[in-house]
Amino acid sequence: MTRNIEWALDADVVVVGAGGAGLVSAINAHDAGSSVLVLEKMPHVGGITILAGGGIKAARDHGKAVSYLTETQGGRVSDRLIDAFAQGLVELPDYLRGLAQVNGAEIGERADTHEGIYPFPGADTLYSLTVTDISGFAGYDWTYTGKNLAGQRFFKVLLDNVLARNIPVHTGAPVRSLITADGEVIGVWAEIEGRKVAVRANRAVVLASGGFEFNEKLKREYFEALPVYAMGNPGNTGDGILMAQKVGAALWHMWHFHGSYGFKFDDYDTAFRIAPGGARNPNRPISWIILDTFGKRFMNELHPATQDTAARPLGLYDADVPGYTRIPAYLVFDEEGRKLGRIANPLTSHPEHRYVWSEDNSAEVARGWIKRYDTVEELAAAQGWEPAVLKATLARWDEIVRSGSDDDHRRPAGTLFPIGTPPFYVVPVWPLLTNTQGGPEHDEHQRVVDPYGEPIPRLFAAGELGSFFAHLYLLGGNLSEIVISGRIAGTQAAGLPRWTHGQDRARVA
Ligand SMILES: Cc1cc2nc3c(=O)[nH]c(=O)nc-3n(C[C@H](O)[C@H](O)[C@H](O)COP(=O)(O)OP(=O)(O)OC[C@H]3O[C@@H](n4cnc5c(N)ncnc54)[C@H](O)[C@@H]3O)c2cc1C
């Protein structure tokens, strides 16, 4: 019923969330002739986009991209969607360079352009772009991403485009629910300056509210591993998923998250990412091995896309024990390894979570986060491991390092590093997700669909909220998806006729 609603604000297209996908949707809806309003829950814009490493995948050839995506999406998304995504990857470089004109940002190909790509047909067509420089830009002051500003630069390109178009963005304005009439989405209920207000969407609502990294209930429902910690933007609590569910959306890809193993300490609010970036460098030694609750090695510590799939082996529930024998797992290294480089890579968009990890890990040993033991026997005793088991694990590791071949778990030769110089160090590691991929299902037009595949009228999704990525992620693909899905959602939303339900009686307050 619209006649009782007092609309506090209105726009043709209302975008929920001011991360990357929300901004690209807003830019495209605006450029297609619509008035646009963006509502952001948090005090700052940026979502987790602002924390990204900054790799943005693109493709040279559409057909090859289709082949690769078909293989990696495991039959879990339609051919039409794969076709649209592949086309988006091909068009992405020109589109991004067009946006970059707003502030003279430089776009370049990344040095690690082919890392993290799996050897499937079509792989050679993929490469990674990044925003290499924006003159005078030294990062957003509420965000900490160490020396890597590439994700912040990508976000600045988007934000400057929004500002140049005078698109209003309300921060501290959480959207609470969708307003429908006769099954069509016609607006949202939001809180603006502490007041619950109705915001009218004349043409459509685009949900771009990110994932459910910080919704513990959803994580418990959909993930096998428990717990799975998160880092990033605490505003990503899956609100868009719940809102879409309430108006009849199907959900998909809820099990699939982009994650590795990382650190969480009781006396610090946020979790920390493990140090290697998105992809592994097969020629860079890494100091540690990872052991289970018995002191045995069980995994390749450096997956091809370590930040994507390395959480998966930790999730095993061993019914014979019974229990999770790899949550937490334990990262072990020695004195030489401690000096090899910092083991964590803290990132945050919240000033109070800012933490600078020491380069030689000594500060974290001093804090008691990393435990130090003079002998293997002391380490085993402290961990409750059989000394003989730990000794066998280390002896086997020594063999692997000497032979240069990890026949147990296929870790690349160039990453192997000996563990034999006391003292020894141990630190618990947990499944740690970077971002979720699940959410409302959408079609190739980014229309949210119900369980029967029927579009829910005037409702679109963009970004990692119901991501395209269903099975095996394409490193750099979530930033690509921001561009691809935002372009489609914004343009499609703007192309709809204005709704007419009770329009004569609705009024702007
Ligand atoms: C450390 C890190 C590194 C990464 N590196 C890369 C990389 O190099 N390449 C890559 O492709 N991907 C990377 N990713 C993943 C990628 O950054 C994200 O998947 C992508 O940015 C998600 O964009 P989004 O716009 O969908 O969500 P977000 O950027 O999270 O934006 C969602 C926004 O919606 C807001 N919101 C939530 N609920 C509401 C509500 N109820 N009302 C209003 N607003 C709401 C949130 O506060 C947030 O601002 C990385 C992620 C992290 C955390």
Side-chain angles (χ1 to χ4, degrees):
M1 296 287 285
T2 54
R3 67 171 175 267
N4 296 326
I5 295 175
E6 287 201 3
W7 301 103
L9 291 166
D10 87 356
D12 288 340
V13 176
V14 172
V15 175
V16 182
L23 298 197
V24 176
S25 303
I27 291 164
N28 282 274
H30 172 277
D31 291 357
S34 278
S35 62
V36 185
L37 185 67
V38 183
L39 298 170
E40 166 57 47
K41 170 184 190 175
M42 300 299 278
H44 295 295
V45 294
I48 66 168
T49 306
I50 209 165
L51 299 175
I56 313 163
K57 211 50 114 225
R60 295 198 165 84
D61 179 81
H62 174 261
K64 286 186 174 186
V66 166
S67 300
Y68 185 85
L69 293 171
T70 301
E71 185 71 42
T72 50
Q73 295 320 303
R76 299 180 196 232
V77 290
S78 73
D79 291 347
R80 289 189 309 279
L81 207 60
I82 288 177
D83 189 69
F85 201 89
Q87 185 59 28
L89 288 174
V90 172
E91 292 175 9
L92 188 141
D94 283 348
Y95 180 77
L96 190 57
R97 291 199 170 93
L99 290 184
Q101 288 174 10
V102 75
N103 55 20
E106 288 174 22
I107 313 290
E109 195 167 329
R110 276 170 73 108
D112 62 355
T113 191
H114 297 304
E115 282 171 14
I117 297 174
Y118 299 94
F120 292 124
D124 62 327
T125 200
L126 299 163
Y127 63 106
S128 276
L129 294 174
T130 195
V131 182
T132 53
D133 189 41
I134 300 177
S135 178
F137 178 62
Y140 292 101
D141 59 8
W142 68 88
T143 300
Y144 175 69
T145 54
K147 291 179 189 154
N148 182 6
L149 298 182
Q152 297 195 55
R153 286 194 289 260
F154 171 68
F155 187 77
K156 183 167 170 60
V157 168
L158 306 184
L159 186 58
D160 284 356
N161 274 279
V162 166
L163 298 174
R165 288 164 174 79
N166 290 318
I167 298 171
V169 179
H170 294 260
T171 51
V175 171
R176 298 298 186 200
S177 60
L178 300 169
I179 302 173
T180 57
D182 298 335
E184 291 197 311
V185 175
I186 59 166
V188 301
W189 286 108
E191 273 173 40
I192 300 182
E193 290 167 7
R195 270 195 331 131
K196 182 180 174 189
V197 295
V199 182
R200 178 177 163 134
N202 295 314
R203 297 183 197 276
V205 170
V206 179
L207 289 174
S209 49
F212 57 101
E213 292 90 42
F214 289 90
N215 185 319
E216 296 308 319
K217 180 168 183 284
L218 288 180
K219 287 193 286 182
R220 270 198 306 276
E221 264 170 36
Y222 290 102
F223 299 162
E224 184 180 2
L226 285 173
V228 178
Y229 288 113
M231 39 75 56
N233 175 29
N236 286 19
T237 50
D239 303 2
I241 299 172
L242 305 182
M243 287 188 256
Q245 263 189 304
K246 197 165 178 188
V247 299
L251 299 186
W252 68 356
H253 313 159
M254 292 296 284
W255 68 275
H256 187 209
F257 65 85
H258 177 61
S260 186
Y261 49 90
F263 308 105
K264 177 73 184 77
F265 306 105
D266 288 344
D267 61 343
Y268 210 81
D269 269 350
T270 194
F272 302 112
R273 266 187 144 197
I274 196 84
R280 82 180 158 208
N281 177 344
N283 299 313
R284 185 179 156 224
I286 295 294
S287 58
W288 61 86
I289 54 175
I290 296 183
L291 310 185
D292 64 13
T293 48
F294 306 109
K296 291 183 179 166
R297 185 165 175 255
F298 61 90
M299 68 180 282
N300 172 1
E301 292 80 2
L302 285 167
H303 285 198
T306 303
Q307 290 292 355
D308 184 45
T309 54
R312 297 187 188 190
L314 274 69
L316 178 82
Y317 185 89
D318 188 334
D320 274 327
V321 172
Y324 290 101
T325 55
R326 303 165 176 186
I327 302 180
Y330 295 92
L331 191 148
V332 170
F333 53 96
D334 72 357
E335 180 64 1
E336 293 306 315
R338 179 185 67 74
K339 296 184 276 190
L340 195 63
R342 66 189 157 84
I343 59 174
N345 183 19
L347 302 154
T348 183
S349 55
H350 289 268
E352 65 273 23
H353 290 169
R354 188 175 195 276
Y355 183 81
V356 181
W357 196 281
S358 62
E359 279 304 319
D360 64 359
N361 304 294
S362 55
E364 292 68 34
V365 176
R367 284 184 83 117
W369 288 354
I370 302 172
K371 305 284 185 213
R372 173 191 144 130
Y373 300 98
D374 287 334
T375 63
V376 170
E377 288 78 7
E378 282 176 31
L379 169 60
Q383 289 290 117
W385 293 334
E386 286 293 330
V389 170
L390 179 59
K391 281 182 182 165
T393 298
L394 292 176
R396 175 67 188 137
W397 180 246
D398 191 52
E399 270 174 31
I400 288 170
V401 175
R402 282 175 199 278
S403 70
S405 175
D406 179 8
D407 296 337
D408 296 352
H409 298 293
R410 294 192 297 275
R411 178 164 149 182
T415 71
L416 307 178
F417 193 79
I419 301 175
T421 309
F424 298 95
Y425 298 92
V426 64
V427 53
V429 284
W430 308 82
L432 177 67
L433 66 80
T434 294
N435 61 279
T436 56
Q437 308 286 18
E441 182 176 347
H442 62 75
D443 66 9
E444 68 275 21
H445 306 297
Q446 296 296 137
R447 296 180 299 188
V448 174
V449 298
D450 72 12
Y452 300 98
E454 290 297 323
I456 294 171
R458 302 182 187 277
L459 186 62
F460 295 82
E464 68 170 50
L465 175 82
S467 168
F468 165 84
F469 292 107
H471 186 69
L472 197 52
Y473 176 60
L474 170 65
L475 216 63
N478 277 126
L479 294 191
S480 313
E481 184 167 40
I482 281 175
V483 173
I484 295 167
S485 63
R487 284 183 73 188
I488 297 172
T491 311
Q492 292 283 325
L496 294 176
R498 296 159 69 102
W499 59 262
T500 53
H501 312 269
Q503 171 158 256
D504 47 331
R505 277 171 285 195
R507 68 184 177 87
V508 176

Short mmCIF file of all heavy atoms in Angstrom, two decimals, residues 100-126:
data_model
loop_
_atom_site.label_atom_id
_atom_site.label_comp_id
_atom_site.label_asym_id
_atom_site.label_seq_id
_atom_site.Cartn_x
_atom_site.Cartn_y
_atom_site.Cartn_z
N ALA A 100 38.83 6.66 -15.39
CA ALA A 100 40.06 7.20 -14.81
C ALA A 100 40.34 8.63 -15.26
O ALA A 100 41.12 9.35 -14.62
CB ALA A 100 41.23 6.29 -15.18
N GLN A 101 39.69 9.04 -16.34
CA GLN A 101 39.92 10.41 -16.81
C GLN A 101 39.49 11.46 -15.78
O GLN A 101 39.94 12.59 -15.82
CB GLN A 101 39.17 10.64 -18.13
CG GLN A 101 39.84 9.91 -19.28
CD GLN A 101 39.05 10.01 -20.57
OE1 GLN A 101 38.10 10.76 -20.66
NE2 GLN A 101 39.46 9.24 -21.55
N VAL A 102 38.61 11.05 -14.88
CA VAL A 102 38.08 12.02 -13.91
C VAL A 102 39.20 12.65 -13.06
O VAL A 102 39.11 13.81 -12.68
CB VAL A 102 37.01 11.35 -13.02
CG1 VAL A 102 37.63 10.43 -11.98
CG2 VAL A 102 36.14 12.38 -12.35
N ASN A 103 40.22 11.87 -12.75
CA ASN A 103 41.29 12.41 -11.90
C ASN A 103 42.69 12.07 -12.42
O ASN A 103 43.67 12.17 -11.68
CB ASN A 103 41.12 11.91 -10.45
CG ASN A 103 41.05 10.40 -10.36
OD1 ASN A 103 41.47 9.71 -11.27
ND2 ASN A 103 40.52 9.88 -9.26
N GLY A 104 42.75 11.66 -13.67
CA GLY A 104 44.05 11.37 -14.28
C GLY A 104 44.71 10.12 -13.73
O GLY A 104 45.94 9.95 -13.82
N ALA A 105 43.93 9.22 -13.16
CA ALA A 105 44.50 7.97 -12.61
C ALA A 105 45.18 7.18 -13.72
O ALA A 105 44.69 7.14 -14.85
CB ALA A 105 43.40 7.13 -11.97
N GLU A 106 46.30 6.56 -13.35
CA GLU A 106 47.00 5.72 -14.33
C GLU A 106 46.62 4.26 -14.13
O GLU A 106 46.62 3.77 -12.99
CB GLU A 106 48.51 5.89 -14.17
CG GLU A 106 48.98 7.24 -14.65
CD GLU A 106 50.45 7.47 -14.36
OE1 GLU A 106 51.19 6.48 -14.17
OE2 GLU A 106 50.84 8.65 -14.30
N ILE A 107 46.30 3.60 -15.22
CA ILE A 107 45.93 2.18 -15.16
C ILE A 107 47.05 1.39 -15.81
O ILE A 107 47.50 1.73 -16.90
CB ILE A 107 44.62 1.91 -15.96
CG1 ILE A 107 43.52 2.93 -15.62
CG2 ILE A 107 44.15 0.48 -15.75
CD1 ILE A 107 42.94 2.83 -14.26
N GLY A 108 47.50 0.33 -15.15
CA GLY A 108 48.57 -0.48 -15.73
C GLY A 108 48.31 -1.95 -15.49
O GLY A 108 47.43 -2.34 -14.72
N GLU A 109 49.11 -2.77 -16.17
CA GLU A 109 49.00 -4.22 -15.97
C GLU A 109 49.87 -4.60 -14.78
O GLU A 109 50.98 -4.08 -14.61
CB GLU A 109 49.47 -4.95 -17.24
CG GLU A 109 49.06 -6.40 -17.26
CD GLU A 109 49.24 -7.04 -18.64
OE1 GLU A 109 49.12 -6.35 -19.66
OE2 GLU A 109 49.53 -8.25 -18.65
N ARG A 110 49.38 -5.49 -13.95
CA ARG A 110 50.15 -5.88 -12.77
C ARG A 110 51.30 -6.81 -13.14
O ARG A 110 51.18 -7.61 -14.07
CB ARG A 110 49.23 -6.61 -11.78
CG ARG A 110 48.46 -5.67 -10.88
CD ARG A 110 47.42 -6.45 -10.12
NE ARG A 110 47.99 -7.27 -9.08
CZ ARG A 110 47.87 -7.01 -7.77
NH1 ARG A 110 47.21 -5.94 -7.37
NH2 ARG A 110 48.37 -7.81 -6.88
N ALA A 111 52.36 -6.74 -12.33
CA ALA A 111 53.51 -7.61 -12.57
C ALA A 111 53.12 -9.08 -12.39
O ALA A 111 53.58 -9.95 -13.12
CB ALA A 111 54.64 -7.24 -11.61
N ASP A 112 52.24 -9.34 -11.43
CA ASP A 112 51.84 -10.73 -11.16
C ASP A 112 50.60 -11.09 -11.98
O ASP A 112 49.76 -11.88 -11.54
CB ASP A 112 51.57 -10.94 -9.67
CG ASP A 112 50.41 -10.08 -9.16
OD1 ASP A 112 49.89 -9.26 -9.95
OD2 ASP A 112 50.04 -10.23 -7.98
N THR A 113 50.53 -10.55 -13.18
CA THR A 113 49.30 -10.59 -13.98
C THR A 113 48.73 -11.99 -14.18
O THR A 113 47.54 -12.16 -14.26
CB THR A 113 49.55 -9.87 -15.32
OG1 THR A 113 48.33 -9.68 -15.97
CG2 THR A 113 50.53 -10.61 -16.23
N HIS A 114 49.59 -13.04 -14.23
CA HIS A 114 49.07 -14.38 -14.50
C HIS A 114 48.98 -15.26 -13.26
O HIS A 114 48.59 -16.42 -13.35
CB HIS A 114 49.92 -15.07 -15.56
CG HIS A 114 49.89 -14.37 -16.87
ND1 HIS A 114 48.70 -14.10 -17.54
CD2 HIS A 114 50.86 -13.83 -17.62
CE1 HIS A 114 48.96 -13.44 -18.65
NE2 HIS A 114 50.26 -13.25 -18.72
N GLU A 115 49.37 -14.75 -12.11
CA GLU A 115 49.36 -15.61 -10.92
C GLU A 115 47.93 -15.83 -10.42
O GLU A 115 47.08 -14.97 -10.56
CB GLU A 115 50.24 -15.01 -9.83
CG GLU A 115 51.71 -15.27 -10.15
CD GLU A 115 52.67 -14.53 -9.25
OE1 GLU A 115 52.21 -14.02 -8.21
OE2 GLU A 115 53.84 -14.46 -9.59
N GLY A 116 47.73 -17.00 -9.84
CA GLY A 116 46.41 -17.31 -9.31
C GLY A 116 45.41 -17.71 -10.37
O GLY A 116 44.23 -17.87 -10.08
N ILE A 117 45.87 -17.91 -11.60
CA ILE A 117 44.97 -18.37 -12.67
C ILE A 117 45.22 -19.87 -12.84
O ILE A 117 46.37 -20.31 -12.94
CB ILE A 117 45.24 -17.62 -13.98
CG1 ILE A 117 44.94 -16.13 -13.78
CG2 ILE A 117 44.39 -18.18 -15.12
CD1 ILE A 117 45.30 -15.26 -14.96
N TYR A 118 44.17 -20.64 -12.90
CA TYR A 118 44.31 -22.10 -12.97
C TYR A 118 44.53 -22.55 -14.42
O TYR A 118 44.07 -21.88 -15.36
CB TYR A 118 43.05 -22.76 -12.38
CG TYR A 118 42.85 -22.39 -10.93
CD1 TYR A 118 42.02 -21.31 -10.59
CD2 TYR A 118 43.51 -23.06 -9.92
CE1 TYR A 118 41.85 -20.94 -9.26
CE2 TYR A 118 43.35 -22.70 -8.59
CZ TYR A 118 42.51 -21.63 -8.26
OH TYR A 118 42.36 -21.26 -6.96
N PRO A 119 45.21 -23.69 -14.59
CA PRO A 119 45.57 -24.12 -15.96
C PRO A 119 44.40 -24.76 -16.71
O PRO A 119 44.48 -25.91 -17.14
CB PRO A 119 46.71 -25.11 -15.71
CG PRO A 119 46.42 -25.67 -14.36
CD PRO A 119 45.75 -24.59 -13.56
N PHE A 120 43.34 -24.03 -16.89
CA PHE A 120 42.19 -24.52 -17.65
C PHE A 120 42.16 -23.87 -19.03
O PHE A 120 42.78 -22.80 -19.24
CB PHE A 120 40.89 -24.18 -16.90
CG PHE A 120 40.71 -24.93 -15.61
CD1 PHE A 120 40.50 -24.24 -14.42
CD2 PHE A 120 40.73 -26.32 -15.58
CE1 PHE A 120 40.33 -24.93 -13.22
CE2 PHE A 120 40.56 -27.01 -14.39
CZ PHE A 120 40.36 -26.31 -13.21
N PRO A 121 41.42 -24.47 -19.98
CA PRO A 121 41.34 -23.87 -21.31
C PRO A 121 40.91 -22.40 -21.23
O PRO A 121 39.99 -22.06 -20.47
CB PRO A 121 40.26 -24.71 -22.01
CG PRO A 121 40.22 -25.99 -21.27
CD PRO A 121 40.63 -25.70 -19.86
N GLY A 122 41.60 -21.55 -21.98
CA GLY A 122 41.24 -20.13 -22.01
C GLY A 122 42.02 -19.28 -21.04
O GLY A 122 41.94 -18.05 -21.06
N ALA A 123 42.82 -19.93 -20.17
CA ALA A 123 43.50 -19.19 -19.10
C ALA A 123 44.41 -18.09 -19.65
O ALA A 123 44.57 -17.04 -19.02
CB ALA A 123 44.31 -20.16 -18.24
N ASP A 124 44.99 -18.34 -20.84
CA ASP A 124 45.97 -17.37 -21.35
C ASP A 124 45.36 -16.04 -21.76
O ASP A 124 46.07 -15.08 -22.03
CB ASP A 124 46.75 -17.98 -22.52
CG ASP A 124 45.84 -18.32 -23.68
OD1 ASP A 124 44.67 -18.70 -23.43
OD2 ASP A 124 46.27 -18.21 -24.84
N THR A 125 44.05 -15.95 -21.78
CA THR A 125 43.44 -14.69 -22.20
C THR A 125 43.27 -13.71 -21.03
O THR A 125 42.97 -12.54 -21.23
CB THR A 125 42.07 -14.95 -22.86
OG1 THR A 125 41.73 -13.80 -23.64
CG2 THR A 125 40.97 -15.19 -21.84
N LEU A 126 43.51 -14.20 -19.82
CA LEU A 126 43.24 -13.39 -18.63
C LEU A 126 44.47 -12.62 -18.18
O LEU A 126 45.58 -13.13 -18.27
CB LEU A 126 42.76 -14.30 -17.49
CG LEU A 126 41.46 -15.06 -17.79
CD1 LEU A 126 41.27 -16.21 -16.82
CD2 LEU A 126 40.27 -14.11 -17.74
#
